[in-house]
Amino acid sequence: MSARSAIRRAVALGVGSALPSRILTNEELAKTVDTTHDWIVERTGIHQRHIAAEGQMTSDLATDAARAALTMAGMDVGDIDLIVLATATPDQTFPATATRVQHNLGMSHGCAFDVQAVCSGFVYALTVAAQFIETGKARGALVIGAETFSRILDWSDRSTCVLFGDGAGAVVLRGEDGTGTTADRGVLSTELRSDGQHNASLYVDGGPSTTGVAGHLRMNGREVFKHAVRNLAEIGEAALAGAGLTADDVTWVIPHQANARIITSTAQKIGIPMEQVIVTVQDHANTSAASIPLAMDVAVRDGRIKPGDLLLLEAMGGGFTWGGATIRW
Ligand code: UT7
């Protein structure tokens, strides 16, 4: 346990999630694109994904997730003065989806903004919010990952459309004084990376200043895969080292849920058994920025994650971006 002077910690007090009610199974998808349930399961671990209803926006899912997280925390919007929302599928080009969530929650104080780091978005948003709280700039924060990737998929491209789904997850953070050791509750470390040279491996072929329309997701899956395990293992280890912890200290790993093979290989590389890894990719597919808080919510509500547990988060996505964090729950 590393001894540090007393510091302000960003303590996670609640988590919540929201999924559209419509479930799209692999079998159903195989009726419209040239794929099979067996191929998808073998290559990715995915069995199904949730798809937003017509008119159901990223902000709607985000608002539901935020409300559930506030309820678990026993807090209301009066306790929140910061909303950081990670999304690559905002309701509108501007303003930020976070401001729509703020309005939906009946909140007109504090500040709300989006961060864009695609699948690493939640770890980026958590890092930003934790910094605000640790410096005293914010007292309470909602950190949200929310996506409607179904809106940017090319449903005729079997190499991408089978991989993604819609959903949202949210965590409530509150500033509390810690002793400065790794026994403190709250965010203990965060590490972020990006490398823009990989744009062509994972991107959306549109945008306001290029085509003027939203565009569709394009990915060289094999290329992304190649970098994913290396980057995720590196960032996981960096997040542990940043807090003065090792793999032995970890209770649960909550990885970005893109592919079961990536999750397994990364856990092996870091040296953490799969029994300690939260896996929800089979049920949600890849929900980009929403995947980590969605998985966290599942594991908190089913009783696996308990107060005092040490969580290791790791994510990697378009940019490339990647990030890791340790949190004592
Ligand atoms: O969250 C952001 C980060 N994204 C990721 O982490 C995704 C990383 N990449 C992956 O997860 C994997 O690369 C995929 C799941 C996307 C693909 O798995 P793979 O083992 O790398 O397959 P592949 O792309 O090398 O394709 C193998 C074969 C190809 O056929 P040929 O060329 O060998 O004849 C594809 O055309 O599988 C074919 N294929 C499919 N077959 C049935 C590609 N998509 C499908 C499909 N159904 N849906």
Side-chain angles (χ1 to χ4, degrees):
M1 229 170 268
S2 62
R4 296 180 197 163
S5 56
I7 52 168
R8 198 81 176 147
R9 295 290 196 190
V11 179
L13 295 177
V15 58
S17 65
L19 289 161
S21 56
R22 162 98 169 98
I23 291 173
L24 178 62
T25 63
N26 292 346
E27 287 87 354
E28 234 183 309
L29 252 181
K31 290 179 190 155
T32 55
V33 284
D34 183 15
T35 190
T36 62
H37 170 73
D38 290 347
W39 188 94
I40 300 172
V41 171
E42 187 195 318
R43 299 296 174 116
T44 72
I46 296 165
H47 288 239
Q48 61 173 46
R49 70 288 293 141
H50 291 249
I51 302 293
E54 205 182 321
Q56 189 173 32
M57 295 178 290
T58 295
S59 62
D60 297 321
L61 296 167
T63 303
D64 288 348
R67 286 201 176 107
L70 284 169
T71 301
M72 183 185 284
M75 289 164 66
D76 60 38
V77 290
D79 304 311
I80 300 296
D81 50 6
L82 171 69
I83 301 175
V84 187
L85 186 148
T87 190
T89 45
D91 293 6
Q92 297 164 291
T93 300
F94 80 77
T97 300
T99 59
R100 202 187 273 262
V101 173
Q102 180 189 27
H103 177 66
N104 289 349
L105 294 173
M107 188 180 153
S108 52
H109 63 275
C111 68
F113 56 89
D114 291 356
V115 303
Q116 220 296 34
V118 204
C119 298
S120 313
F122 184 78
V123 179
Y124 270 64
L126 179 79
T127 303
V128 172
Q131 301 280 321
F132 267 66
I133 286 180
E134 287 160 7
T135 58
K137 193 82 182 160
R139 289 179 298 114
L142 270 166
V143 187
I144 307 171
E147 304 279 13
T148 47
F149 259 51
S150 62
R151 305 265 157 73
I152 55 162
L153 294 176
D154 174 352
W155 287 98
S156 66
D157 175 11
R158 69 176 185 173
S159 72
T160 53
C161 76
V162 305
L163 304 174
F164 296 90
D166 301 335
V171 168
V172 176
L173 300 177
R174 188 173 67 194
E176 291 182 5
D177 286 333
T179 61
T181 72
T182 55
D184 287 346
R185 289 189 71 194
V187 177
L188 300 178
S189 66
T190 55
E191 290 285 340
L192 302 181
R193 311 261 190 279
S194 66
D195 184 351
Q197 70 175 300
H198 301 287
N199 185 299
S201 296
L202 180 50
Y203 65 102
V204 169
D205 63 3
S209 88
T210 50
T211 61
V213 293
H216 292 116
L217 182 149
R218 305 292 172 202
M219 178 166 74
N220 179 341
R222 217 173 287 188
E223 197 55 31
V224 178
F225 199 108
K226 219 170 66 188
H227 291 273
V229 176
R230 189 186 333 131
N231 288 348
L232 287 165
E234 181 269 324
I235 207 73
E237 281 160 1
L240 286 172
L245 297 163
T246 70
D248 291 340
D249 297 309
V250 174
T251 324
W252 296 106
V253 182
I254 310 177
H256 170 48
Q257 309 284 321
N259 183 317
R261 288 186 292 146
I262 295 175
I263 292 172
T264 307
S265 304
T266 305
Q268 264 169 10
K269 243 182 149 164
I270 300 178
I272 297 175
M274 279 307 288
E275 294 70 40
Q276 287 171 249
V277 182
I278 308 295
V279 184
T280 54
V281 69
Q282 68 283 357
D283 298 325
H284 305 154
N286 182 346
T287 57
S288 184
S291 90
I292 287 180
L294 259 168
M296 191 186 288
D297 190 45
V298 167
V300 168
R301 286 176 198 272
D302 71 18
R304 273 179 288 175
I305 296 176
K306 296 182 181 64
D309 283 356
L310 196 284
L311 313 181
L312 173 63
L313 280 44
E314 20 128 311
M316 138 107 191
F320 292 151
T321 56
W322 59 111
T326 58
I327 304 175
R328 188 162 305 279
W329 188 253

